[in-house]
Amino acid sequence: MDTKITLTKALDMLKKKECSSTELVQSFINHATAKRHLNCFITETFENALSEAAEADKRIASGSFLPLDGVPIANKDLYCTKGVQTTAGSRILKNFIPPYESTVSGNLKKAGAISLGKLNMDEFAMGSANLNSAYGPVINPWRPTSDSKKDLVPGGSSGGSAASVAAGLCLGATASDTGGSIRQPAAFCGVTGIKPTYGLCSRWGMVAFASSLDQAGPMAHTVSDCAYLLQYMAGYDEKDATSLNVKIPDYAANLKPEAKGLRVGVPKEYLQGLNEEGQALLQKGIDWLRAAGAEIVDISLKMTSAALPTYYIIAPAEASANLARYDGIRYGARVDGATLDELYQNTRHDGFGAEVKRRIMIGTYVLSAGYYDAYYTRAQKVKKLISHDFDNAFEKVDVILTPTTPGAAFGLHDKNDDPVAMYLNDIYTVTVNLAELPGISVPVGLSGEGLPLGLQLIGPKLSEQRLFNVGLMLEQAAQFPHFNAV
Ligand code: GLN
């Protein structure tokens, strides 16, 4: 079977018995095996997937179809999966086999989805190019037209999730977004990804990076596919104190292209420094929405320039606290030493990569007694001001349109060693995490080099349905070649 299909189409085929889950899963396993050089998977669970497919086929034959029954997906390797190694892209968690299942991956399993394995990612979700994984980089399945041999990065930190969907190795993937890690790789790989409102998906069993910003979300080819996945990933969980106790709408059933009568804000701060290609893409989005009956409103989000510095205080601060638990005693790898302190030092020295160590040092510094107020408390205040910016904007508009990234995917072997230049990749996405809002990236065009580019829609809290509907409108207008890299 061809893996050039959407999740929505596969569900329909399974329901109509046009194929079996076993056939479907086997085809994706074959394709994933053929494309191992992309390095998307850290752990493959193909045999287990085939036995789950056999179970799904029995259910389907007996007429009791679960909502995502029999479709092959895969999980970012920071979702704890019972009995299956979970590394978060780090050496320090090599051979860590959780005795429990994260709520999100468990929810998808309960809905009948079948996991093919654990997807590569930047170590502890810190990165924008998947170059920080202890298990090697992921290769973007797209190639520039001027050099068909050049390997590109898939974006990060959910690089394995984005590349595996784009390459047709699975029909959808879980991902996570702390400052852009769903939307930025989705844009680089030409897939759709949504970061929901903070608290919509449970963080229980997700390896923590920066707890006040981390949010789970899906990636898949289309808006409709993401709507199906999010519906079953989301939901209240008493095991997560920040979980929102709200009813999850039937996103897929309520999905319809929407723009007429909507006020769409375009923030002027996001236009500054945008290159010509980015401007042209944004203009296309504006034209499509206007032609479909939306009103375009110029808005200002004046705190935008403070977003990255704020993020790079809050995220490392929370990371340094969260990562204190990796001490060689409780989880994963251990490197012995003559004393207990030496054991801690040796384990953390060998277990963590350079970017993680950099963040732990920054985080420890901004939380230290003399600097806490000057940095951490101040950053929390600026975070509030960023939220107020959006609150004010949403009095005038229903949704905000921006580019997802400043440009297309860059080369795997380009000069990528400047951390600050890397941090700039998230300039259009971090504000959304700081304000706890939902944001979706929809692939809508190709660069001069034939590489995917995405547009981002941002909405008020819990406006996921609106984002899906406006996103669908953009998707239909853009006619993006979803299967070019399969
Ligand atoms: N690229 C950002 C970082 O390195 C965001 C990562 C994320 O969203 N997990 O922190």
Side-chain angles (χ1 to χ4, degrees):
M1 248 183 95
D2 199 347
T3 70
K4 287 184 182 169
I5 52 168
T6 63
L7 182 140
T8 309
K9 170 80 182 158
L11 273 177
D12 192 52
M13 288 170 72
L14 286 166
K15 251 184 229 161
K16 291 187 180 143
K17 301 201 168 68
E18 289 169 8
C19 70
S20 69
S21 173
T22 303
E23 278 171 77
L24 190 67
V25 167
Q26 187 64 59
S27 309
F28 278 86
I29 291 175
N30 294 347
H31 198 54
T33 308
K35 298 255 177 176
R36 272 198 183 126
H37 61 279
L38 298 176
N39 200 24
C40 288
F41 285 88
I42 292 178
T43 307
E44 296 169 344
T45 54
F46 295 165
E47 269 177 36
N48 193 43
L50 284 170
S51 62
E52 284 180 23
E55 291 298 314
D57 283 331
K58 276 190 215 147
R59 279 193 299 270
I60 297 169
S62 74
S64 56
F65 197 91
L66 295 172
L68 295 174
D69 225 348
V71 294
I73 58 147
N75 287 306
K76 185 174 181 178
D77 204 22
L78 55 54
Y79 290 91
C80 285
T81 39
K82 191 172 176 177
V84 177
Q85 174 181 254
T86 300
T87 69
S90 183
R91 237 186 336 263
I92 212 162
L93 283 176
K94 193 168 172 23
N95 300 328
F96 168 56
I97 301 190
Y100 45 79
E101 184 81 20
S102 79
T103 300
V104 160
S105 56
N107 283 349
L108 285 171
K109 212 180 167 103
K110 265 185 238 144
I114 294 174
S115 174
L116 299 182
K118 306 299 291 292
L119 296 166
N120 204 340
M121 56 178 283
D122 280 305
E123 185 174 10
F124 288 103
M126 299 174 191
S128 303
N130 219 116
L131 294 167
N132 299 335
S133 167
Y135 302 88
V138 171
I139 295 168
N140 189 326
W142 289 78
R143 302 270 153 149
T145 41
S146 67
D147 182 358
S148 65
K149 293 210 166 53
K150 184 174 178 178
D151 285 336
L152 303 176
V153 302
S157 63
S158 312
S161 307
S164 63
V165 171
L169 318 187
C170 57
L171 285 169
T174 55
S176 71
D177 192 313
T178 306
S181 282
I182 292 179
R183 294 157 287 156
Q184 186 257 11
F188 274 17
C189 292
V191 303
T192 308
I194 181 165
K195 178 223 122 37
T197 307
Y198 182 73
L200 195 79
C201 293
S202 168
R203 286 184 296 108
W204 194 82
M206 239 173 111
V207 175
F209 165 13
S211 310
S212 74
L213 306 169
D214 294 346
Q215 177 56 211
M219 280 190 195
H221 287 297
T222 63
V223 170
S224 163
D225 292 358
C226 283
Y228 272 108
L229 288 169
L230 182 60
Q231 199 164 326
Y232 298 100
M233 288 166 73
Y236 175 64
D237 181 7
E238 61 180 17
K239 292 189 287 220
D240 172 1
T242 56
S243 174
L244 294 175
N245 197 349
V246 292
K247 191 173 166 339
I248 306 301
D250 190 339
Y251 299 125
N254 295 317
L255 194 62
K256 56 171 193 300
E258 193 180 331
K260 205 173 166 54
L262 280 185
R263 298 162 304 168
V264 179
V266 179
K268 68 166 193 268
E269 291 77 4
Y270 286 53
L271 302 173
Q272 289 157 7
L274 189 62
N275 65 21
E276 258 175 49
E277 213 159 61
Q279 282 177 24
L281 186 82
L282 186 64
Q283 191 56 48
K284 260 195 194 167
I286 291 173
D287 294 344
W288 288 325
L289 289 166
R290 197 180 269 137
E295 180 197 345
I296 307 298
V297 184
D298 292 328
I299 59 165
S300 169
L301 294 169
K302 57 185 188 309
M303 293 304 295
T304 301
S305 63
L308 272 177
T310 306
Y311 174 83
Y312 277 100
I313 292 172
I314 296 177
E318 295 183 10
S320 73
N322 274 326
L323 270 55
R325 76 191 67 177
Y326 303 108
D327 55 5
I329 305 290
R330 287 171 287 187
Y331 304 88
R334 172 181 305 174
V335 183
D336 275 325
T339 62
L340 182 62
D341 277 348
E342 237 181 71
L343 180 150
Y344 292 157
Q345 280 164 13
N346 293 346
T347 300
R348 290 167 71 83
H349 175 274
D350 287 9
F352 290 138
E355 183 62 25
V356 172
K357 285 178 184 154
R358 181 179 301 123
R359 306 255 183 137
I360 291 175
M361 285 191 283
I362 296 172
T364 312
Y365 177 81
V366 300
L367 290 177
S368 61
Y371 295 103
Y372 190 96
D373 283 339
Y375 290 105
Y376 190 67
T377 310
R378 194 119 183 252
Q380 286 295 351
K381 287 182 184 160
V382 179
K383 179 176 187 268
K384 269 266 150 25
L385 293 176
I386 291 170
S387 286
H388 289 163
D389 246 9
F390 279 103
D391 292 344
N392 292 336
F394 287 125
E395 281 175 14
K396 294 189 216 91
V397 299
D398 305 298
V399 66
I400 294 173
L401 178 73
T402 79
T404 309
T405 57
F410 43 89
L412 193 68
H413 304 292
D414 289 358
K415 201 176 161 293
N416 293 319
D417 54 2
D418 176 1
V420 177
M422 199 58 89
Y423 298 169
L424 288 171
N425 272 292
D426 298 314
I427 189 134
Y428 303 127
T429 49
V430 278
T431 49
V432 173
N433 301 72
L434 291 164
E436 304 182 7
L437 301 174
I440 190 170
S441 177
V442 182
V444 293
L446 297 176
S447 71
E449 280 285 5
L451 300 173
L453 294 168
L455 284 176
Q456 173 179 233
L457 293 163
I458 307 168
K461 281 187 187 160
L462 298 174
S463 65
E464 282 78 7
Q465 185 74 58
R466 190 187 301 159
L467 295 188
F468 283 135
N469 291 355
V470 183
L472 182 61
M473 197 261 119
L474 287 179
E475 180 182 283
Q476 291 183 350
Q479 293 294 311
F480 183 81
H482 291 283
F483 303 115
N484 262 22
V486 173

